[in-house]
Amino acid sequence: MNNIKLLNGEVWNEKKILLEMRDDNFYYDYLSTNRILSKSSISGLIPPKSPKAWYYGSGKKGSEAAFRTGSLFHWAILEPDKYEEVYFSKYRTRTSAGFKAEREKAGKEIYSEAEREFNQKLVSEFTVNKKAMAKLSNCSSEVPLIGNVFGFPFRGKADLISDDGRMYDLKTCGDLEDFPRNAYAYAYDIQVYIYCELYGAKPEDFEFLVISKNTYDIGFFPVDKSFYEQGKERLQLALEVYNGIFHEKTDEQIRESLNEITYENKLYSVKKYSNVKST
């Protein structure tokens, strides 16, 4: 394997760093945005998203409840050892009296009894589906990926890679009919492009396995090449912003660039019509 140079100048042997990346503390904490880019970090710079929000960690946040639901389902299916370590509260909901005190005493994220029950339902519906489980057979899970994309170091973890080289990503969503629109909003196209580039896979070998949190229906969403190309184009736009404002810049240079950003958009009149007539 080759060496890879991180954003801060560190040089790692790829084989060694891939082994280290199996540890979550190394993957998420050590390999932060000052050392390497990821789909999660770079998607915050897709125009017209605010570079200021990216820099200051402000702006619109994703749903915390949705994130917790997705995490529990992911761990239960792909990382059962990690799921066994999850702290489930004796209280039914997160708003129950005593839940906050229990969380503070635990000193880590905890989950309510209702969240546990809901996750059990999701897992049960997914695991009894023969088509879904067949796709998980003969697969390695949580496979670390690293490499250069457009000259920048990127990391990733593939949920599942089969023995024949297919890549699967496990997702939860509200309703399946909304998933294609959500896939664009959450930059899954960029994820597909980065992961395919890092692993050397073709876009037609990537598929999303999705379960609806509303109906418990399961959907399979293989990737079209146009989705992959869309991710490539949006990643390039995001990297242009990153390279122009943040890459190899001092804090003073970054803040100077951010202070020069303005937005212009002409406002037009809006005519409101009503069937109600004055008398």
Side-chain angles (χ1 to χ4, degrees), residues 13-274:
N13 174 269
E14 286 190 13
K15 184 177 181 179
K16 182 178 180 180
I17 199 170
L18 284 171
L19 289 174
E20 295 285 352
M21 287 169 63
R22 293 190 175 275
D23 177 74
D24 281 351
N25 291 327
F26 183 89
Y27 183 84
Y28 292 107
D29 298 332
Y30 188 81
L31 292 182
S32 56
T33 54
N34 67 318
R35 285 188 169 89
I36 200 165
L37 299 175
S38 65
K39 174 265 174 185
S40 298
S41 64
I42 201 64
S43 61
L45 291 175
I46 306 169
K49 293 185 178 181
S50 167
K52 278 190 178 181
W54 187 86
Y55 181 70
Y56 292 114
S58 58
K60 186 177 181 180
K61 306 293 183 182
S63 167
E64 182 183 349
F67 177 78
R68 288 196 307 273
T69 299
S71 295
L72 285 177
F73 180 70
H74 183 281
W75 294 329
I77 298 295
L78 301 180
E79 298 180 276
D81 291 343
K82 186 176 291 186
Y83 186 72
E84 288 295 323
E85 298 176 357
V86 174
Y87 187 122
F88 287 106
S89 170
K90 61 183 179 181
Y91 296 101
R92 177 152 188 81
T93 68
R94 298 177 68 85
T95 56
S96 299
F99 182 89
K100 183 178 179 181
E102 186 179 12
R103 181 172 58 185
E104 291 175 350
K105 183 178 180 180
K108 61 180 181 179
E109 181 62 88
I110 67 175
Y111 295 80
S112 68
E113 173 63 14
E115 288 176 309
R116 185 190 67 81
E117 291 177 358
F118 181 61
N119 185 66
Q120 284 185 326
K121 178 63 175 175
L122 288 175
V123 171
S124 174
E125 293 296 327
F126 187 86
T127 54
V128 297
N129 187 287
K130 294 180 180 180
K131 289 184 179 179
M133 295 306 294
K135 291 181 181 291
L136 270 62
S137 63
N138 300 316
C139 284
S140 299
S141 61
E142 292 297 292
V143 180
L145 307 169
I146 197 167
N148 289 305
V149 182
F150 294 122
F152 292 93
F154 274 86
R155 64 163 167 80
K157 268 191 180 180
D159 280 356
L160 294 155
I161 296 181
S162 68
D163 292 345
D164 60 359
R166 289 191 60 80
M167 303 179 76
Y168 299 101
D169 199 83
L170 208 59
K171 300 291 187 189
T172 58
C173 73
D175 293 305
L176 291 180
E177 58 264 33
D178 295 331
F179 185 75
R181 182 171 62 253
N182 293 338
Y184 179 86
Y186 299 143
Y188 295 162
D189 53 349
I190 288 181
Q191 177 187 355
V192 167
Y193 181 77
I194 292 173
Y195 281 27
C196 285
E197 289 297 298
L198 294 182
Y199 189 69
K202 298 177 181 178
E204 53 265 32
D205 291 330
F206 198 110
E207 186 172 3
F208 289 98
L209 311 181
V210 187
I211 185 166
S212 166
K213 294 177 290 186
N214 295 337
T215 65
Y216 305 109
D217 289 321
I218 296 169
F220 305 130
F221 294 86
V223 171
D224 182 81
K225 189 175 182 180
S226 63
F227 189 75
Y228 167 90
E229 292 293 341
Q230 176 181 269
K232 177 181 179 180
E233 293 173 5
R234 294 215 292 164
L235 176 59
Q236 286 177 307
L237 292 174
L239 285 173
E240 286 178 12
V241 177
Y242 175 78
N243 190 47
I245 298 177
F246 302 104
H247 185 50
E248 297 182 340
K249 304 295 194 303
T250 65
D251 284 343
E252 183 179 355
Q253 290 172 324
I254 291 172
R255 286 192 293 269
E256 184 177 344
S257 295
L258 292 176
N259 290 337
E260 293 298 317
I261 296 176
T262 58
Y263 298 87
E264 295 183 12
N265 197 356
K266 185 177 291 186
L267 296 178
Y268 296 90
S269 63
V270 177
K271 295 182 179 180
K272 296 182 179 180
Y273 298 92
S274 174

